[in-house]
Amino acid sequence: MSASNETYTEDQYLEVNKYQPKSSSGKIANYVDTRVGGTGIVREFGRKVFPDHWTFMFGEVALYSFIITVISGAFLTFWFDPSMATTRYSGSYAPLQGLEMSMAYATSLELSFDVRGGLFMRQLHHWGALMFVLAMSVHMIRVFFTGAFRKPRELNWVVGATLLVLGLGAGFTGYSLPDEVLSGNGLRIIDGMLKAIPVVGTYISFFLFGGEFPGNEVIPRLYALHIFVIPALILILIAVHLFLVVTHKHTQYPGPGRTERNVVGYPVGPVYAAKAGGFFFIVMGVLSLLAGTFQINALWNYGPYDPSPVQAGTQPDWYIGWFDGVLRIMPGFIGNIPLEFVIPTPWGGNSIATPVLVPMIPITLLLLGVFVWPWLENWITGDKREHHLLDRPRNAPTRTAFGVAMVVWYLVMWGAASSDLMATHFALSLNDVIYWLRAAFFLGPIIAYLLTKRICLALQRKDREVALHGHEAGVIEVSAEGEFHEKHKLPNEHELWTLVSYEAPAPSGPQPNAKGKITALEKLRARLNRIWFEDRVEPVSREEYLEVMRHHGHGPSALEAAESRQAITAGTGSDSR
Amino acid sequence: MAEHGNGDSTAVVKAGEGASNGYAIDNPGLPPHRPRLADVDEKAAKRSERQVAALFIVSIIGTLMFFVGYFAIARMDQFDDYFEGMSALRVQNTLIGVGTALAMLGIGLGIVHWAKTLMPDHEVTEARKPLRTEADRAEAEKIVTDVVEETQIKRRPLLRNTMIAAALLAPLPAVVVFRDLDRTADFGVERMRHSLWDEGVRLVRDPTGTPIRAADLTIGSAMHVIPENLREVSGHGDRLAEKAKAVVLIMRLNPDDLHEPTPGRENWSHEGIIACSKVCTHVGCPVALYERHTHHLLCPCHQSTFDASEEFKVTFGPAGRALPQLPITVDDEGFLIARSDFTEPVGPTYWERGHTDPEGDFPA
Amino acid sequence: MKALSQKRRHPFAFVALLLLGLLLTGGLYAAATTVNQAQASNTPDGFSSEQVEEGERLFVANCASCHGMNAEGSDAGPSLVGVGAASVEFQVGTGRMPMQMQGPQAQQKPPQFNEEQTSQLAAYVASLGAGPGIPDDEWLDVDQGDPARGGELFRINCAMCHNAAGAGGALTEGKYAPSLHGVDEVHIYTAMTTGPQNMPVFNDANIPPEDKRDIIAFLKTYEQQGSPGGFSLGFLGPVSEGLLIWTLGLALLIGSMVWLTSRSS
């Protein structure tokens, strides 16, 4: 039997009671510490270093928006009654007085019009929810384009992606709760999409709605999901996400003094804690400003849910938009040939709702792609090393180009959800807008890929140019012979380091496996690897650099800097404490 | 960048080999620290202090603004004039919102400004810990092996196998227990084939419920219609579920504009009046946008377009089937009535839609 | 462009023929279907003969090039026989007629004729054949309407094209349902009775004058009450909200992030 074999002396146990704090706050701190062991936490986190960059803050925005949404949501639950029982509205909003509606809608109106601050809280909740998903999305985009998902952070990337999906679920279940015509039609679309699922779809719909759409049950069920199940899962995953961030320590951008072995930034106490804590209030302030000045989800406009009415401009909240948009651009017929078909069976046939199922393919691909990307990328590149230094997006041209292509693909689907508003606001034909979007769905990502890759390579070449020949100083010099030159200002070594410290490996070709054979899969990998690496701009090499420096006859200081061989060891930056 | 990778890099990635020789220069280390104004000039530090304090005072003012908004403005139900109440609500919402925003921004901007200008701004370097050391790993592995050994699970396969079987079965009740999410008496897909429409059921206006004479519709008119027997359905949820299947749009076209009906549908219209299900065959939104000259019916959710003059066939958009048409005629009193139920299930396509109808209501 | 506009001319030409056909086959339909409508066309002959004469002069000078010398219609414009004074009040009163150019539908613009001239034109067109007339002031008095009932009717009959808040919406092939904000009561009413452009006709048998008044009362209440939650963002719902959070919301945050992480001078 193996047990922990650390032992402590009797004195160490008795030391706990020896310390006598002097001030009263010290006494309180000591009381708590001797009971919960806070010393360890303070020692671990009190001066922990976090890198500081504005793009690192989207995750914080997401966290803070979530907290604000939970707090404002808790306020709303005190008045909201998630019941589909009917009542006759008698509140303050005149254009609905006397109408029959569900308790859910009536209490939503009540808390908006007859509870002071209720309208503000509801708007804060809704703006907070939009911001929550937005911040998660931008955070994910930042992580993708800087390569922060690479080893050892793959699993945390998956946790983050799951949080995003849960965020969509939290948003949609909340959107449907007030039981008005807009969200009711949204639910009806969900019902239609569920029914399209082969074999089990119809029954999933029955079980969700407790029978046929809309039934009596769906609002209380969505409520349970919205205020308990989904937020609980989100909270748990946020805890896991942050735990892993602490375990891995934060990534950092490449730059002078930064290595794979160190973290450069501000200590938690006091600077980082002050900034992060202060930022919570800033996020809350921005959301309050929106909630106080911009109306969101004016649910009194839509009227109580009834399966008959519908309104122009029926759209979901932004993050569900791409589901709606991709449904809009899919044609139901090609020419006169219907895409929907019935599989003949002895019992009459089973129907395949192709126009609903096919649009789910790009959505599934994109979501699935997000989840597996870290493994897909390191399979293609063969790079299994740990990375704590981020990539500048230009220095990973293929990833950046592919990411932009996927973002454009998403944007086309997302934009399609507002096809009708594009038509009215830009005086276009609705049908033409759809035709163009269909073209953009296929061409947009390809154009974006090619363009982005060229831009990345061009930026890398510019970096080389600056590293070797300096910035254009904007000063024209005339030589004694009458030649005109533009003066160039060489970058200092700190800037230079950022420009030259990246990798651009050549394609590696297929690698034989243990048996010495090259499998078909390996051939595919090699082909992808070639696509990944073949267009590349190599970083300035030392030989090249020294050659150019000598040739230009630049001052000895530059040469000295280049030739110096001071190794930078981990943890010893030039002005570390 | 001498420190690169953790040793398990493969031959595939070539860069990084040769350590720092790979880069043009060596890592020069952190740039020198540049002192801030407040570090060298006590006046500047004092100024920062005053700015931070001012921001905190802005926050206090914001909180007071909230109270003004909350207490000085009456609740909407205390106004006699509705419009005055509405504008008061707007003012209240603005004061509460902007007040909270100032209260929060004052604190947030104040603290951050304090941190930026007065707290130390030296960047610090900290070494990363290896995620695990080999000694730890070996020790952990030994613990796991010992623990497994102590359970004797490897030596007693009967225990292992029965435990796996039990563990596989045990979660099933957690799935089955959700069966009663749908407790309706007529559980199953059959109910989706039927709506309240039946032979002789009058078409009445939605929502007033008044019956309709053919003469009430002029050419170019459109009317939103429900079955007269809908009012007999008790229970809000049941009524909505029935209404969701039964909503109908009727419109009157010049009979000359109607295309030749397909066989079997010759008597489905009445003097140019035609009726269709309003539920889109795509995903179920009400298709209610009727253009009287083009005879287009447009769904506002996904823009499926149907042609009313050609038995509601799809002319654009994602819908995969024509809208079901309701056969109508007039009764002795001249009111519009249905000839029968819809001859196919209304609404979006579902898996069992093609099943043979056991009651034989629908022609094959 | 030309091919397009020719295509678009087709339906109008078709309608012209259709209406002509209606007239020729006798006022059968009109007689049968306007039992209730008679209430609305309550003043078809309330115009004086001077008005009719003056209206005809205006018509020949301004409208006949498309609608024909005797308003019998042409390839460029439908027959106006039997469309009633209400059509003229709506089309001319909102500036849609005379049309500036052919397009998917007539655009609203400042009216070309003053009230007097408009009613002279209306008198002339009303004299050509029975049709919906100008509504009595009684039906336009929103104080007598019930906005809650009007709202319900509006959501069932109108919101699918005009949006739940009356902000307008898209129709097929470049057509659209216009915004209803700031539209005169009489024009809302006459739009319902005449069904301009591709709008269906909501005659008095479908929506009686009292109900039309309720709908107008709802729209006017809605217009007057404003948006209690702050700026309305055009009453367009989730799209404009999403746009705001991705522009203003994100910009405010990025601004504060950049400031927060930048070094103080």
Side-chain angles (χ1 to χ4, degrees):
Chain A
M1 187 176 273
S2 62
S4 177
N5 50 12
E6 282 175 72
T7 54
Y8 302 92
T9 63
E10 187 61 17
D11 279 349
Q12 279 176 301
Y13 291 107
L14 292 176
E15 268 173 11
V16 169
N17 297 324
K18 276 191 190 152
Y19 172 70
Q20 289 300 323
K22 291 172 189 74
S23 65
S24 56
S25 57
K27 277 183 188 143
I28 296 168
N30 190 49
Y31 180 91
V32 176
D33 188 30
T34 51
R35 279 151 186 85
V36 302
T39 296
I41 298 171
V42 173
R43 267 188 52 206
E44 175 68 28
F45 292 103
R47 290 283 190 180
K48 198 173 172 62
V49 169
F50 277 91
D52 204 24
H53 192 274
W54 69 269
T55 58
F56 293 168
M57 308 206 65
F58 290 108
E60 269 177 60
V61 179
L63 174 67
Y64 297 154
S65 310
F66 178 70
I67 294 170
I68 291 161
T69 310
V70 167
I71 295 170
S72 53
F75 180 88
L76 299 178
T77 61
F78 295 142
W79 287 274
F80 179 68
D81 174 9
S83 160
M84 293 174 96
T86 49
T87 180
R88 216 158 266 286
Y89 179 69
S90 58
S92 292
Y93 185 67
L96 289 173
Q97 277 159 3
L99 292 191
E100 192 178 276
M101 58 179 66
S102 67
M103 286 301 290
Y105 188 46
T107 51
S108 305
L109 293 170
E110 188 199 348
L111 70 85
S112 302
F113 290 106
D114 298 316
V115 172
R116 275 176 292 178
L119 180 60
F120 168 69
M121 281 296 199
R122 198 170 62 74
Q123 300 203 130
L124 181 64
H125 188 69
H126 207 133
W127 284 121
L130 295 195
M131 184 61 90
F132 175 48
V133 189
L134 179 153
M136 282 198 288
S137 312
V138 180
H139 178 52
M140 175 172 255
I141 288 171
R142 195 282 294 170
V143 168
F144 181 88
F145 284 112
T146 57
F149 55 83
R150 291 173 297 174
K151 189 181 174 184
R153 295 181 178 78
E154 302 98 320
L155 295 176
N156 215 16
W157 164 265
V158 170
V159 172
T162 314
L163 276 168
L164 183 61
V165 173
L166 284 172
L168 301 188
F172 188 81
T173 50
Y175 167 84
S176 307
L177 289 181
D179 199 22
E180 22 57 70
V181 170
L182 177 67
S183 70
N185 279 318
L187 267 181
R188 186 158 209 181
I189 293 169
I190 294 291
D191 172 61
M193 288 165 74
L194 288 176
K195 282 178 177 156
I197 302 171
V199 188
V200 292
T202 321
Y203 288 93
I204 294 177
S205 157
F206 288 160
F207 288 134
L208 174 64
F209 293 96
E212 283 190 281
F213 174 88
N216 279 319
E217 314 280 352
V218 69
I219 298 290
R221 285 174 188 177
L222 291 175
Y223 188 63
L225 292 173
H226 182 71
I227 70 157
F228 171 63
V229 179
I230 298 177
L233 290 174
I234 290 179
L235 262 179
I236 292 167
L237 287 183
I238 286 178
V240 174
H241 200 68
L242 294 182
F243 172 80
L244 285 175
V245 168
V246 170
T247 305
H248 295 138
K249 288 200 163 83
H250 209 285
T251 51
Q252 57 190 351
Y253 281 101
R258 288 135 192 235
T259 72
E260 290 284 4
R261 297 284 175 257
N262 70 7
V263 196
V264 178
Y266 294 107
V268 164
V271 183
Y272 189 79
K275 282 186 174 182
F279 192 50
F280 171 83
F281 293 95
I282 293 176
V283 173
M284 172 102 182
V286 167
L287 288 176
S288 302
L289 195 64
L290 291 180
T293 48
F294 290 96
Q295 181 166 291
I296 186 166
N297 194 17
L299 42 86
W300 50 90
N301 286 348
Y302 306 127
Y305 181 66
D306 175 330
S308 177
V310 68
Q311 57 142 349
T314 290
Q315 266 105 357
D317 277 344
W318 77 259
Y319 42 83
I320 306 290
W322 63 312
F323 291 84
D324 197 55
V326 73
L327 280 175
R328 289 180 184 215
I329 51 182
M330 172 76 193
F333 283 77
I334 292 182
N336 276 326
I337 306 156
L339 296 181
E340 206 172 299
F341 60 93
V342 177
I343 308 167
T345 56
W347 51 88
N350 285 114
S351 308
I352 299 288
T354 323
V356 186
L357 292 172
V358 169
M360 293 305 112
I361 294 173
I363 288 180
T364 317
L365 280 181
L366 256 185
L367 283 177
L368 213 65
V370 164
F371 278 91
V372 304
W373 180 260
W375 291 277
L376 199 64
E377 184 183 309
N378 77 25
W379 176 68
I380 295 172
T381 60
D383 182 356
K384 315 282 187 206
R385 298 164 304 164
E386 268 191 26
H387 291 279
H388 301 288
L389 281 178
L390 297 171
D391 283 327
R392 299 169 79 210
R394 70 185 62 174
N395 289 337
T398 309
R399 181 205 296 139
T400 304
F402 182 75
V404 171
M406 290 302 105
V407 168
V408 166
W409 210 30
Y410 177 93
L411 287 178
V412 172
M413 294 190 247
W414 185 32
S418 50
S419 56
D420 51 336
L421 293 173
M422 286 190 231
T424 50
H425 285 72
F426 300 109
L428 300 166
S429 158
L430 183 59
N431 307 50
D432 292 346
V433 172
I434 298 280
Y435 292 135
W436 279 107
L437 284 166
R438 281 177 189 163
F441 178 85
F442 293 103
L443 295 179
I446 298 172
I447 295 169
Y449 178 87
L450 297 173
L451 215 61
T452 311
K453 193 150 181 183
R454 289 303 121 191
I455 290 171
C456 285
L457 294 170
L459 285 171
Q460 282 186 302
R461 284 195 193 97
K462 189 195 129 228
D463 282 355
R464 269 183 74 90
E465 186 66 23
V466 170
L468 291 175
H469 307 294
H471 297 282
E472 292 170 358
V475 177
I476 309 291
E477 289 176 327
V478 191
S479 69
E481 293 83 36
E483 261 186 297
F484 286 88
H485 291 285
E486 181 164 16
K487 201 174 171 181
H488 279 67
K489 187 174 172 293
L490 282 180
N492 65 28
E493 56 174 353
H494 298 109
E495 187 190 345
L496 187 60
W497 173 250
T498 310
L499 297 179
V500 301
S501 61
Y502 70 93
E503 298 175 350
S508 56
Q511 306 288 316
N513 64 11
K515 286 182 192 159
K517 279 180 77 177
I518 292 174
T519 59
L521 194 64
E522 177 59 22
K523 276 185 194 147
L524 172 68
R525 192 199 68 79
R527 196 178 307 153
L528 292 171
N529 184 278
R530 166 164 286 287
I531 294 170
W532 192 274
F533 287 125
E534 73 183 340
D535 291 319
R536 65 203 186 96
V537 175
E538 285 190 39
V540 177
S541 72
R542 188 166 299 237
E543 296 72 33
E544 217 177 342
Y545 182 66
L546 292 175
E547 172 62 31
V548 170
M549 288 301 117
R550 284 208 186 85
H551 179 75
H552 283 280
H554 284 302
S557 64
L559 277 174
E560 262 168 42
E563 284 167 351
S564 70
R565 299 256 163 173
Q566 285 171 337
I568 307 300
T569 46
T572 55
S574 63
D575 60 348
S576 66
R577 314 173 158 200
Chain B
M1 192 149 50
E3 309 75 27
H4 218 310
N6 62 353
D8 61 349
S9 72
T10 61
V12 177
V13 173
K14 295 220 174 66
E17 286 176 2
S20 59
N21 284 333
Y23 298 127
I25 57 168
D26 290 323
N27 193 331
L30 286 181
H33 180 249
R34 177 174 54 81
R36 296 163 297 184
L37 270 180
D39 294 333
V40 292
D41 180 3
E42 184 52 28
K43 258 198 219 151
K46 270 272 176 233
R47 195 165 56 234
S48 291
E49 188 184 347
R50 280 196 303 273
Q51 285 163 345
V52 172
L55 283 166
F56 289 153
I57 289 165
V58 166
S59 168
I60 294 170
I61 294 169
T63 307
L64 294 177
M65 194 166 155
F66 175 96
F67 287 132
V68 171
Y70 195 90
F71 291 112
I73 294 173
R75 227 176 33 220
M76 214 182 139
D77 52 11
Q78 287 154 348
F79 284 87
D80 291 330
D81 183 88
Y82 169 70
F83 296 109
E84 271 176 33
M86 276 300 248
S87 36
L89 177 61
R90 177 165 181 163
V91 174
Q92 182 173 55
N93 187 63
T94 309
L95 285 175
I96 286 180
V98 175
T100 312
L102 289 180
M104 294 294 129
L105 287 173
I107 294 178
L109 297 177
I111 291 178
V112 172
H113 193 51
W114 180 356
K116 279 179 53 151
T117 54
L118 295 171
M119 295 181 195
D121 75 332
H122 283 75
E123 283 198 304
V124 184
T125 306
E126 190 179 64
R128 285 179 192 277
K129 282 187 206 139
L131 269 176
R132 68 167 195 221
T133 60
E134 179 52 24
D136 285 354
R137 191 203 60 76
E139 200 178 323
E141 189 184 343
K142 182 161 173 6
I143 292 173
V144 171
T145 326
D146 290 352
V147 167
V148 172
E149 188 54 37
E150 285 161 25
T151 60
Q152 307 177 7
I153 197 164
K154 283 186 176 162
R155 279 190 291 136
R156 302 186 195 280
L158 181 65
L159 286 183
R160 188 194 61 196
N161 296 345
T162 49
M163 185 176 78
I164 290 172
L168 284 178
L169 269 178
L172 285 183
V175 178
V176 172
V177 78
F178 286 101
R179 162 60 187 83
D180 278 352
L181 279 175
D182 183 353
R183 288 189 297 168
T184 41
D186 54 346
F187 180 74
V189 293
E190 191 44 37
R191 55 188 160 175
M192 292 174 71
R193 300 186 160 272
H194 305 289
S195 72
L196 286 177
W197 293 109
D198 205 349
E199 190 179 348
V201 173
R202 271 187 185 163
L203 282 71
V204 299
R205 289 178 182 81
D206 182 20
T208 51
T210 48
I212 304 153
R213 285 177 199 280
D216 291 347
L217 289 145
T218 37
I219 288 178
S221 287
M223 207 181 276
H224 298 265
V225 162
I226 45 179
E228 190 173 30
N229 51 5
L230 181 66
R231 76 169 75 132
E232 293 155 22
V233 181
S234 58
H236 184 64
D238 292 341
R239 193 159 63 244
L240 286 190
E242 285 303 341
K243 189 173 182 182
K245 285 188 292 186
V247 282
V248 156
L249 186 67
I250 58 173
M251 58 225 94
R252 186 167 204 155
L253 279 63
N254 186 329
D256 298 340
D257 289 348
L258 285 174
H259 285 231
E260 190 64 29
T262 49
R265 292 191 175 198
E266 291 86 355
N267 55 7
W268 282 19
S269 65
H270 176 77
E271 292 173 1
I273 302 177
I274 45 176
C276 69
S277 164
K278 243 165 86 174
V279 192
C280 189
T281 55
H282 177 223
V283 283
C285 267
V287 185
L289 285 71
Y290 175 59
E291 299 176 3
R292 69 173 173 123
H293 293 312
T294 59
H295 309 132
H296 283 160
L297 272 163
L298 174 69
C299 176
C301 295
H302 305 107
Q303 285 76 44
S304 294
T305 310
F306 304 87
D307 190 340
S309 65
E310 277 193 77
E311 297 176 354
F312 309 102
K313 74 162 197 182
V314 182
T315 57
F316 183 77
R321 278 182 293 112
L323 289 171
Q325 186 177 350
L326 184 72
I328 52 166
T329 184
V330 288
D331 64 10
D332 303 341
E333 296 170 62
F335 290 115
L336 289 172
I337 55 166
R339 278 183 183 276
S340 73
D341 195 355
F342 287 105
T343 58
E344 55 183 317
V346 299
T349 301
Y350 55 99
W351 176 249
E352 298 86 351
R353 193 174 184 278
H355 283 193
T356 313
D357 182 19
E359 290 172 30
D361 290 351
F362 300 158
Chain C
M1 246 354 247
K2 191 153 166 53
L4 257 179
S5 64
Q6 273 174 348
K7 220 191 259 176
R8 278 171 190 140
R9 254 176 236 159
H10 266 280
F12 284 95
F14 202 57
V15 168
L17 279 173
L18 190 152
L19 287 171
L20 201 67
L22 234 186
L23 178 82
L24 292 176
T25 47
L28 218 142
Y29 269 90
T33 60
T34 48
V35 184
N36 292 310
Q37 213 167 350
Q39 291 178 358
S41 41
N42 40 17
T43 53
D45 303 312
F47 300 108
S48 64
S49 55
E50 290 90 50
Q51 279 180 304
V52 175
E53 273 170 41
E54 196 56 41
E56 182 168 10
R57 210 165 301 140
L58 282 168
F59 182 88
V60 170
N62 295 285
C63 320
S65 56
C66 297
H67 292 291
M69 286 308 285
N70 300 309
E72 75 279 12
S74 76
D75 284 351
S79 159
L80 300 182
V81 178
V83 301
S87 285
V88 178
E89 175 59 41
F90 178 83
Q91 300 284 3
V92 178
T94 61
R96 284 180 169 79
M97 292 291 153
M99 234 169 148
Q100 227 156 28
M101 56 179 164
Q102 291 287 353
Q105 72 187 46
Q107 307 284 330
Q108 195 176 359
K109 55 185 183 295
Q112 308 285 297
F113 299 100
N114 62 27
E115 267 179 51
E116 193 191 346
Q117 292 167 319
T118 307
S119 59
Q120 286 162 350
L121 277 169
Y124 170 66
V125 170
S127 72
L128 299 171
I134 312 286
D136 278 347
D137 285 345
E138 182 193 356
W139 308 122
L140 303 177
D141 181 9
V142 294
D143 291 337
Q144 293 182 50
D146 175 356
R149 199 180 129 73
E152 204 178 3
L153 290 164
F154 181 84
R155 285 188 290 276
I156 297 264
N157 291 291
C158 323
M160 63 285 219
C161 299
H162 289 286
N163 167 303
L171 298 173
T172 65
E173 289 157 2
K175 300 184 286 296
Y176 63 92
S179 163
L180 302 179
H181 297 163
V183 179
D184 281 352
E185 288 86 342
V186 65
H187 294 143
I188 301 174
Y189 193 102
T190 49
M192 287 191 269
T193 52
T194 62
Q197 325 276 346
N198 263 293
M199 178 169 160
V201 177
F202 295 95
N203 61 33
D204 291 349
N206 185 354
I207 300 181
E210 294 85 355
D211 291 5
K212 289 194 173 85
R213 183 172 62 196
D214 289 345
I215 291 175
I216 296 170
F218 166 74
L219 285 169
K220 291 297 152 192
T221 304
Y222 193 83
E223 218 171 279
Q224 203 184 334
Q225 75 187 25
S227 51
F231 297 110
S232 69
L233 303 174
F235 298 102
L236 295 176
V239 171
S240 48
E241 292 156 12
L243 210 57
L244 187 86
I245 198 85
W246 273 95
T247 49
L248 183 65
L250 190 59
L252 285 173
L253 278 178
I254 290 184
S256 56
M257 286 171 183
V258 170
W259 170 74
L260 188 143
T261 49
S262 66
R263 286 199 66 221
S264 163
S265 57

